[in-house]
Amino acid sequence: MKLRTRLFAAVLGIATISLLLAGTLVSLSSQRQLLERIERELVAQTRLVAELVARRGTAPTLAELDGEADALGRELGARVTLIAPDGRVVGDSAEDGAGLAAMENHGTRPEILIARERGVGVTRRFSTTVERDFLYAALPVEHGAVGYARLALPLTAIDEQLASVRRATVIGIFLALVGALVLAWVTSTAMSRRVRAIAAVARRYAEGDLSRPLRGYGNDEIGTVARALDASVHELGSRLDELSRHRVLTDAILSSMAEGVVVVDAGGHVRMANEAVRAMLALGTSPVGRHYIELIRHPEIAGQIARALDDGESLRREVSLNTEPPKVLLASTAALVPAEDGAGRQGAAMVLHDMTEFRRAEQVRQDFVANVSHELRTPLTAVRAAVDALLDGSAPAGDPRFLDIIARQALRMDRLVGDLLRLARLDAGQEPLNLMPCATDAVFAAAETELAPLLQEKGMRVDTHVAPSAATITADPSKLHDILKNLLENAARYAPAASTVTLRIAAADDEVVLTVEDRGPGIPDTDLTRVFERFYRVDRSRARDPGGTGLGLAIVKHLAGLHGGTAAAANRPGGGALFSIRLPGREPARAARPASVSAPAA
Ligand code: ADP
């Protein structure tokens, strides 16, 4: 049932019940009052009649008495009966002559009996004489011939009066009910309209529209409740706003973090996973809501989350993943516990740091130290053996073979230390780049001249092809010279005697490409990128050759990088190694790579 109907029914019900009750009570009491007044008047009139009769002469005739009764009856509009002390009727306004004489003795009429006893007798009963309901009042009279005066009023007259009172009451109740109906309708409509307006505002709030209502709510209790609701909705709204601002901030922080963060609830379902963790653990694009066991394929990491969830244990461990390439992650897990009471775990959070690069760099450093030690030990052992042989006399003093060993190994160590120092300088960015126009012919010629003894020793020939576009290039001439000298020296060392080395330089697409080709054994495909690593050698046994330090190509790559260029190794289709150096053309390194910035370690 609608609120309005209910209000209407209630108000109308209350009004009807109270009106009916009040109407009945009023009608009953006014009927009683009316009846009492009629009785009082009847008694007063009877008293008047008794008084008038008492003043009569002492011996009136019967006819005189009856005439008196008739006159009084006409005057008063009531039936007047005069009764002798012995009960005989001596006068009656309703009967005359013979009829009067025939009337039975009235001495036993109830009103007469009561009047005799108490002075006044009032009864209501059926008159056998007139055959109608009457109200009787009787009083004793102080007169010789008349003992009692009696007045009778037909009840029909009284009933008429009473009926009119009832009619007035019914009309009054009816009119009041109509009024109540109108009032109930107006009140319930107004009330339900206000409640509906408040409900509409509440619906609007529920849909997220928090703009204030235009009208006031009124000053009664409904208004107070509505205002209180309004205030709490707005309070909640502003808290939600603040929460969502926090949420945006947190999301921004989490998604910009390099560390992976994943949060699972007490049931093990992922609540949050930032981009970094999705990439680290290959979780896919929408891991939220799924169970961590089905998402995280690495038993160690899943196990760590399980321990945080089940035992509330906080762990910090380094985990290696068998991914391609392999990854090393530092995984820290913690159980999420509500701050105040600590009752019941809320889930667990895990932060992953990618340690792969750090561990690799550490490994490179360790390998480097081991390599340097090893590279130094080989010539040092040889020098010590030669010196020992000379000192203990097992070799003749000043034996040129032993002195030659010492000289060669010392030279090798000198070159090794020289290359190490150079790399250290390059790493530290201490070699500034002096770019200037270089005549390529001159650079080629200088490198050839420097390596002439080695080339001649092996009977090798150097072919040079300088494209007209690359006759002059912009580069640091001394560094370009070092690049060329290293590559040419490798070619002379690894290619067979009497073979040809080809140097080419050309400029295309804003790029200068310098290549060095030999006709030697070439480099196995798997080693093509690794030859640029420090101390990397394709064939370890050839490392015994005192010629190389294992650092030459690392330096080449560094120098090319300093120019903003690259160095790469390949194999010639017809056999032999092919090294190519690409340098930015025209306006090169100045913008691309400032000389003070160190190139990445090769
Ligand atoms: P090294 O001083 O030993 O020559 P590099 O860094 O110059 O050190 O070269 C690294 C390794 O690359 C060499 O040990 C060799 O195995 C391989 N290599 C370099 N140049 C050539 C080439 N022209 N032909 C074949 N192998 C080569």
Side-chain angles (χ1 to χ4, degrees):
M1 216 198 293
K2 277 192 167 178
L3 176 72
R4 193 171 96 180
T5 323
R6 243 187 284 176
L7 273 174
F8 181 69
V11 173
L12 195 63
I14 292 169
T16 310
I17 290 171
S18 41
L19 278 175
L20 284 178
L21 208 66
T24 314
L25 287 176
V26 165
S27 152
L28 282 178
S29 93
S30 49
Q31 281 186 56
R32 202 179 59 241
Q33 277 174 11
L34 183 64
L35 216 56
E36 277 170 4
R37 210 186 67 222
I38 291 172
E39 275 180 24
R40 263 200 319 277
E41 273 174 14
L42 198 65
V43 170
Q45 285 173 353
T46 315
R47 188 160 283 131
L48 199 67
V49 168
E51 203 65 30
L52 283 174
V53 171
R55 290 203 189 151
R56 267 276 174 181
T58 41
T61 62
L62 205 63
E64 274 176 342
L65 280 174
D66 190 37
E68 181 88 29
D70 289 350
L72 284 170
R74 262 194 313 278
E75 236 14 79
L76 297 171
R79 181 184 163 200
V80 177
T81 312
L82 300 176
I83 299 152
D86 57 4
R88 265 182 313 110
V89 178
V90 289
D92 193 298
S93 58
E95 297 289 337
D96 283 313
L100 185 66
M103 277 176 75
E104 57 183 286
N105 191 303
H106 271 45
T108 55
R109 291 289 193 270
E111 61 275 8
I112 302 299
L113 290 176
I114 300 170
R116 189 181 295 151
E117 210 173 287
R118 301 192 202 148
V120 182
V122 179
T123 56
R124 209 184 301 183
R125 61 179 177 79
F126 188 73
S127 160
T128 46
T129 317
V130 195
E131 301 201 322
R132 266 207 269 174
D133 271 331
F134 275 93
L135 176 68
Y136 294 97
L139 281 173
V141 180
E142 300 290 319
H143 191 274
V146 183
Y148 300 96
R150 189 186 77 167
L151 254 70
L153 213 60
L155 273 177
T156 43
I158 296 171
D159 283 345
E160 252 166 46
Q161 288 192 47
L162 288 179
S164 86
V165 168
R166 270 198 298 273
R167 235 183 347 266
T169 311
V170 168
I171 290 172
I173 287 178
F174 176 75
L175 288 179
L177 269 179
V178 170
L181 196 84
V182 171
L183 210 63
W185 190 79
V186 169
T187 319
S188 59
T189 305
M191 188 81 91
S192 85
R193 190 183 301 137
R194 286 179 63 206
V195 172
R196 269 206 313 278
I198 291 169
V201 172
R203 250 196 316 280
R204 204 152 53 71
Y205 287 164
E207 283 160 9
D209 175 6
L210 292 190
S211 55
R212 294 264 181 188
L214 297 177
R215 283 183 305 152
Y217 291 120
N219 288 323
D220 57 3
E221 288 83 346
I222 292 184
T224 310
V225 169
R227 266 192 301 279
L229 278 177
D230 202 37
S232 25
V233 164
H234 280 95
E235 170 74 19
L236 264 179
S238 64
R239 294 225 181 133
L240 279 178
D241 269 0
E242 205 171 314
L243 266 181
S244 70
R245 268 199 304 281
H246 272 293
R247 178 83 211 223
V248 167
L249 199 69
T250 317
D251 282 355
I253 292 172
L254 283 169
S255 62
S256 63
M257 272 172 78
E259 286 80 12
V261 180
V262 62
V263 177
V264 299
D265 61 18
H269 294 98
V270 172
R271 285 268 135 263
M272 198 282 297
N274 71 353
E275 270 161 42
V277 84
R278 279 183 244 162
M280 282 180 195
L281 301 181
L283 298 187
T285 46
S286 50
V288 172
R290 293 172 62 190
H291 201 277
Y292 77 93
I293 299 247
E294 92 185 71
L295 279 172
I296 299 178
R297 299 272 168 217
H298 309 285
E300 277 187 83
I301 289 183
Q304 208 167 319
I305 294 181
R307 282 170 72 176
L309 275 181
D310 300 342
D311 313 330
E313 215 175 323
S314 292
L315 285 177
R316 195 178 165 83
R317 274 195 318 198
E318 209 166 281
V319 179
S320 303
L321 304 187
N322 289 329
T323 49
E324 188 50 52
K327 270 187 238 168
V328 181
L329 302 178
L330 177 65
S332 313
T333 38
L336 297 179
V337 178
E340 302 99 44
D341 50 3
R345 272 187 282 285
Q346 305 259 298
M350 180 165 73
V351 179
L352 294 173
H353 294 260
D354 193 341
M355 307 288 286
T356 316
E357 230 1 83
F358 178 75
R359 289 283 169 249
R360 201 188 70 81
E362 207 173 56
Q363 191 61 48
V364 166
R365 252 195 314 279
Q366 283 171 5
D367 290 352
F368 183 74
V369 171
N371 279 325
V372 170
S373 316
H374 177 78
E375 293 291 332
L376 282 172
R377 164 161 283 160
T378 317
L380 266 178
T381 312
V383 169
R384 263 191 68 185
V387 169
D388 283 349
L390 288 174
L391 285 180
D392 66 15
S394 56
D399 186 335
R401 285 179 303 144
F402 285 83
L403 291 177
D404 184 49
I405 290 175
I406 293 169
R408 270 208 336 265
Q409 298 300 345
L411 181 68
R412 182 179 170 175
M413 282 191 283
D414 185 52
R415 290 179 61 172
L416 181 67
V417 172
D419 280 356
L420 280 172
L421 284 173
R422 177 109 206 244
L423 271 173
R425 270 205 310 278
L426 287 168
D427 281 344
Q430 285 169 349
E431 284 206 21
L433 192 67
N434 292 316
L435 290 175
M436 58 184 71
C438 305
T440 25
D441 270 342
V443 179
F444 282 6
E448 256 182 86
T449 313
E450 197 170 338
L451 288 171
L454 183 60
L455 290 166
Q456 269 163 21
E457 186 189 313
K458 291 190 78 172
M460 290 174 78
R461 212 163 63 88
V462 178
D463 269 2
T464 53
H465 300 275
V466 178
S469 57
T472 308
I473 61 165
T474 307
D476 181 326
S478 79
K479 294 185 176 62
L480 190 61
H481 170 85
D482 291 346
I483 289 175
L484 207 56
K485 193 191 86 181
N486 264 302
L487 293 177
L488 206 54
E489 189 179 349
N490 277 351
R493 190 175 301 140
Y494 297 110
S499 63
T500 306
V501 182
T502 312
L503 301 184
R504 272 181 228 278
I505 188 158
D509 291 344
D510 287 351
E511 193 181 50
V512 175
V513 183
L514 166 69
T515 56
V516 180
E517 301 168 39
D518 61 43
R519 281 149 187 79
I523 298 165
D525 286 346
T526 46
D527 293 326
L528 283 174
T529 50
R530 302 208 62 191
V531 288
F532 292 99
E533 289 174 15
R534 296 170 191 201
F535 296 116
Y536 190 83
R537 290 192 178 88
V538 172
D539 182 358
R540 290 273 153 188
S541 63
R542 268 198 308 202
R544 304 278 175 270
D545 178 3
T549 60
L551 296 173
L553 287 179
I555 292 172
V556 166
K557 185 171 182 175
H558 227 316
L559 292 174
L562 206 55
H563 279 84
T566 57
N571 284 306
R572 284 179 71 244
L578 187 158
F579 287 90
S580 47
I581 307 297
R582 289 166 185 275
L583 303 178
R586 305 278 169 251
E587 282 301 316
R590 222 164 303 175
R593 185 178 290 265
S596 60
V597 173
S598 72

